[in-house]
Amino acid sequence: MELRTRPATVKLPEEMFTGDAWADVIHRGEEPSRTRANAVHFAPGARTAWHSHGVGQTLYIVEGIALIQSRGGRILEAHPGQVIWTPPGEEHWHGAAPDRFMTHIALWEGDDVDWLDHVTDAEYSGPSTREL
């Protein structure tokens, strides 16, 4: 067992995010492990671009209000303590509500993330389901 040094917080790139978002690496598995865990912090209104994960992704909401949408679906609103599962290959985005900071723990395997187009303001403001 060892106590590991955490890398510095990194600002996430504009190519993959709209608005300001930062990540703290919690875990990056070393072969043969492919597990990844990041704490991701979103400023109000910030969000990922559309993307998908080869083997899915789990999000655990830590603080604030999260908005999550699968391509073609309604926007889901999630609160601290709630868990969201996105299946392998499902195009989706996630981010903060327009008036709240939001932090989630993102859990996934490997680096096979397919980054797509940015979420437009119209998509971000689309129809929602207010609670999971």
Side-chain angles (χ1 to χ4, degrees):
M1 183 182 305
E2 68 181 274
L3 182 60
R4 293 198 166 185
T5 303
R6 290 180 48 188
T9 300
V10 295
K11 177 122 176 30
L12 296 168
E14 292 177 6
E15 297 81 33
M16 300 172 204
F17 291 80
T18 297
D20 292 328
W22 299 266
D24 289 305
V25 174
I26 296 171
H27 177 73
R28 182 171 178 86
E30 297 172 13
E31 290 297 332
S33 173
R34 293 173 29 96
T35 59
R36 307 283 189 265
N38 284 355
V40 185
H41 314 276
F42 294 82
R47 63 228 184 229
T48 68
W50 289 101
H51 65 285
S52 66
H53 298 267
V55 290
Q57 181 183 47
T58 299
L59 302 176
Y60 175 79
I61 309 307
V62 176
E63 73 171 330
I65 298 173
L67 302 179
I68 306 100
Q69 183 181 29
S70 293
R71 184 93 66 178
R74 295 179 72 77
I75 297 170
L76 303 176
E77 182 178 295
H79 298 267
Q82 292 185 302
V83 176
I84 296 93
W85 163 246
T86 304
E90 183 171 270
E91 293 180 6
H92 67 285
W93 64 267
H94 36 95
D99 59 348
R100 304 262 192 230
F101 283 90
M102 187 274 289
T103 299
H104 66 49
I105 304 297
L107 306 164
W108 74 102
E109 292 183 56
D111 292 321
D112 53 348
V113 180
D114 187 17
W115 288 99
L116 306 163
D117 50 311
H118 280 273
V119 174
T120 66
D121 290 342
E123 289 170 320
Y124 176 78
S125 301
S128 66
T129 301
R130 283 290 134 200
E131 301 247 352
L132 288 177

